[in-house]
Amino acid sequence: MPVRPTTVSKPLKIYKIEIHKGALDAIPTDVRRNFLLFGHIANEINTLYRLLIFSIKEQSDDVMKLFAESRAFTIARLLIGTTQEGYVALNKHVLSQKFGHTYLPLLSAKGQAALKRVRKHLSDMELMAAIRNNFAFHHPTSAQIDNAYARIPNAGDMSIYSGTPRHSSLYAMSLNLMTQGMLDCLNDPEDKLSHADAIGQIMDDVIDKSTDLNDFIEALLGTIAERENLSSHPLSDSNVVLTVDGHESTATFAIPPLLRT
């Protein structure tokens, strides 16, 4: 039997924990609200995280690289905004409420470890909040546009790229503007970091915080489901509804920067 290469992901098993609306009707209102709210937050983080990971692949062609970077930075800003909002919701609806005192002690050891990580992240949200407030969920102000524009190097690409006959446009000047604005949110007043290192620091920050928040939410929702007896179908091989396998691992999968539509 051939040995499975280490570069190929293990088969992914999808389990279904069946929950009926009647079970949710019977639990306290605040518990139901948090169960639904944090499921929504995790859905958004999961989607944006996967899109980001699949988008940050090296491209050999300069134009392809530009389109890939534009998409990756756009997704990163959305993931930053969603993750930052998730931490605000966590602090507001869980950590500072009676709900948290009831359910957090019931977390598994893995859930407690995730909670410890997200508590630590909560004391280090300045970068994420700055990008969220100015360059993700809100458009930059006139002053922010002017400030970022003034810091774009003279050699910066200010071009417009337009694909014909299909609509595939990219405005390099605005990509550079938003990227510079994000970089200016770093506490690097003397620009000691290289461009690549600064971008890497932002990407690492959002990936770490979104991963840890998602781990915590998964543990929290599982704890709620177990404590409130929301399902009679715990995780077991009997309720695997899909197994995904293939020759490509998630480490090699990538979405092409340009798609024909």
Side-chain angles (χ1 to χ4, degrees), residues 4-257:
R4 188 181 187 89
T6 57
T7 55
V8 179
S9 299
K10 295 180 179 179
L12 174 64
K13 293 182 179 180
I14 303 296
Y15 298 82
K16 180 180 180 181
I17 303 175
E18 190 171 359
I19 298 174
H20 297 287
K21 190 170 184 292
L24 291 173
D25 289 341
I27 66 178
T29 301
D30 65 325
V31 179
R32 181 170 61 249
R33 286 172 180 163
N34 281 336
F35 191 75
L36 298 172
L37 172 63
F38 285 95
H40 160 68
I41 292 170
N43 282 343
E44 291 199 331
I45 289 175
N46 273 314
T47 298
L48 292 167
Y49 178 88
R50 286 187 176 89
L51 287 174
L52 178 60
I53 295 300
F54 293 156
S55 294
I56 51 177
K57 302 298 180 181
E58 289 293 330
Q59 302 292 332
S60 57
D61 181 86
D62 287 343
V63 176
M64 286 287 194
K65 181 178 180 180
L66 192 64
F67 273 84
E69 287 181 350
S70 177
R71 182 179 62 200
F73 292 161
T74 298
I75 295 170
R77 286 194 299 272
L78 294 174
L79 179 58
I80 286 169
T82 297
T83 301
Q84 200 266 346
E85 289 288 289
Y87 275 89
V88 170
L90 169 67
N91 196 41
K92 179 179 179 180
H93 298 291
V94 177
L95 300 183
S96 62
Q97 298 294 326
K98 181 181 178 181
F99 171 89
H101 297 298
T102 301
Y103 289 90
L104 295 184
L106 303 177
L107 291 170
S108 65
K110 185 178 179 181
Q112 293 290 349
L115 174 60
K116 184 178 180 179
R117 295 195 300 272
V118 298
R119 284 186 185 274
K120 183 178 180 180
H121 288 318
L122 273 168
S123 64
D124 180 31
M125 299 297 293
E126 185 176 348
L127 173 61
M128 185 166 286
I131 294 175
R132 180 267 184 209
N133 292 338
N134 301 314
F135 299 99
F137 283 6
H138 297 95
H139 297 309
T141 65
S142 296
Q144 289 167 336
I145 291 174
D146 293 343
N147 291 336
Y149 175 76
R151 293 188 24 88
I152 295 175
N154 289 334
D157 189 357
M158 298 285 107
S159 306
I160 292 175
Y161 295 80
S162 182
T164 58
R166 297 175 177 87
H167 184 68
S168 296
S169 301
L170 186 147
Y171 303 96
M173 70 286 189
S174 296
L175 168 62
N176 281 325
L177 179 87
M178 297 297 285
T179 302
Q180 185 61 53
M182 291 172 64
L183 295 178
D184 289 344
C185 291
L186 283 169
N187 186 18
D188 185 29
E190 299 179 6
D191 293 331
K192 294 180 180 179
L193 292 172
S194 68
H195 180 87
D197 287 342
I199 291 296
Q201 185 171 319
I202 292 172
M203 292 294 189
D204 288 345
D205 187 65
V206 65
I207 287 174
D208 287 346
K209 287 182 169 66
S210 62
T211 298
D212 290 340
L213 181 58
N214 190 55
D215 286 346
F216 168 74
I217 291 174
E218 185 174 8
L220 177 64
L221 298 189
T223 297
I224 293 174
E226 182 176 355
R227 185 182 190 275
E228 301 297 338
N229 296 315
L230 294 179
S231 176
S232 58
H233 301 282
L235 289 180
S236 67
D237 286 340
S238 63
N239 61 342
V240 173
V241 293
L242 177 67
T243 300
V244 181
D245 197 9
H247 68 284
E248 289 188 320
S249 71
T250 56
T252 59
F253 180 78
I255 303 174

